Amino acid sequence: MSKRIVPIGPYHPLQEEPEFFKLIVEGETVVDIEINIGYNHRGHEFLSPSLTYDQIPFLVERICGICSNSHPLAFVLAVEDMAHIKVPERALYIRTIVHELERIHSHLLWIGLAGHFIGYNTIWMWAWRYREPVLDLFEMITGNRNHYAMNKVGGVRRNIYHDQISHIEKVLDLVESKVSMLTKAVLDDPVLHARLKGIGILSKEAAISYGVVGPTARASGVAIDVRKDDPHCAYDKVEWDIVVEEAGDIFAKAKVRLLECFESIKIIRQCLKNLPDTPIEIRIEELPAGEGIGRTEAPRGEVFHYIRGNGSHHPVRHKVRAPSYMNLPSNEVTVKGHSIADAALCLAAIDPCYCCTERVAVFEDGKLKYTWNDLLLFSWKKTEQIRARLRK
Amino acid sequence: MKDLRLLALKKSPWVFHVAAASCNNCDIEILDALTPRFDVERFGIVLVGSPRHADALLVTGVINRKSLPRVLKVYEETPKPCLVIAIGTCACDTHMFKNSYNVVGPFDKYLPVDVYIPGCPPKPEAIILGVVKALQKL
Ligand code: SF4
């Protein structure tokens, strides 16, 4: 059978960062994939040295709208590493709380979108509905629904006040009950089992050799988590577990993300209970020359920042490595051999921050054959078929 | 004929979402407006999958060199008259990326923008208000 090319992209398919996939298909089966990124390049590393250390958290926050606490956190950790700054305890706890809230909202977002991709729009609407209380918490704690601007070198910008704590706990109870409802709905649904199990498998060996990070790695049985491996903030002062699944398929990835929400809630509860009574920041007059690294576990995996300073108010070099950059190439393994109906889901499994308009188009002899909508329809149809089969 | 088309546009605008180089937050807030809490579909506003079906373009992010040709192509493909609504400070005036080597400018340098919705990101309420204002303009 002749080979055809399915372009997905260019700049907003399923993933977080805009990228362009070329699926090479034989009939219905994907035999190869080419990945091309760079549509979202705004030159953060170039802009960073022209700003001061106090301004950069606002810049790196805007690398990604969903991990908008992880990047500034990794950056301030890098600067604090460079200057050997010891941050007050309360600031560490507040950082942990905001960081875990971000994980909950991000995982719910993913669950919703994954539901959308397989034609379960109900899951989408419900998951996003229960993301809203988390966003409201952000608005209360940080002043904005997204882009929290909480981290600064030497501490955090805003305090969590005593009378806010009981409200936060109440909202956490609500979110917990709704997430457990969603978890049950997803884990008990025979259609979802049939649809998601054994699809897009990333074996443990492949996960290690591609160097994937975050939930993508943990769903393949690789127990890595920067929060445990290199404890920062208050992660070594609270009780929590790494969620690991062995199967490596999309079902395992969904399960890891859902169960991680509960761990996050657990962490936040403990932090709120033990919030120490110290100032939330220390004043920093001078930053020495030197270099430092900061890493933290974003919802999608390890974020890494490197800073080199020369004693002035600006860094001379700032390097960023985001988790999706590591996870993307693994699509090569997960997508190959699957039908087009599964391709959307496989690409989405590492993290579909589906932002907007995916544009997928299949060209045959220069004419449009399938569009992204058709791919979605294929995926939905497959779910329908499985559902019908199971009903019998 | 043109009046008829404008009238049709007012009733239930179908929108297509163009993200140039954005940070995703504006895009997520647009999607958020579709979900139960805000539910813009009540007003007949539907997000469509192709610019050919769209009455209005919601544009987000700054335009960079790689996305410029695609953005222009999407605008070309949209049937006229169409509204262009710039969402977020990035789309309105390039935000903090002004000095970047890869950023070629805000949207209004290349497309006729009808409504600007500043904010980083604007809240879904603000986005809905912006779309309503755009419709009133017709
Ligand atoms: S305006 Fe803000 S939220 Fe919107 S794309 Fe730009 S940086 Fe992101």
Side-chain angles (χ1 to χ4, degrees), chain A residues 19 67 83 92 101 105 114 128 163 173 183-184 202 222 255 272 276 326 332 342 372 381:
Chain A
E19 56 243 339
C67 306
L92 294 180
L101 280 175
H105 109 78
W128 283 51
D163 46 354
D173 289 342
T183 311
K184 272 198 219 108
L202 186 70
V222 186
K255 200 167 164 192
L272 285 173
M326 297 308 293
E332 224 173 46
D342 293 330
W372 166 245
K381 235 191 262 160

Side-chain angles (χ1 to χ4, degrees), chain B residues 51-52 57 69-80 82 111:
Chain B
R52 292 202 172 85
L57 294 178
R70 274 103 190 160
V71 169
L72 293 179
K73 185 130 193 291
V74 168
Y75 182 68
E76 243 166 54
E77 286 177 355
T78 317
K80 311 288 174 319
C82 76
L111 312 176

Side-chain angles (χ1 to χ4, degrees), chain A residues 11 41-42 65 132 356-357, chain B residues 17 19 23-24 32 37 100-101:
Chain A
Y11 52 89
H41 184 78
R42 281 160 292 162
E132 287 295 325
C356 31
T357 49
Chain B
H17 172 197
C23 79
N24 287 353
D32 227 22
R37 187 170 184 193
S100 169
Y101 50 86

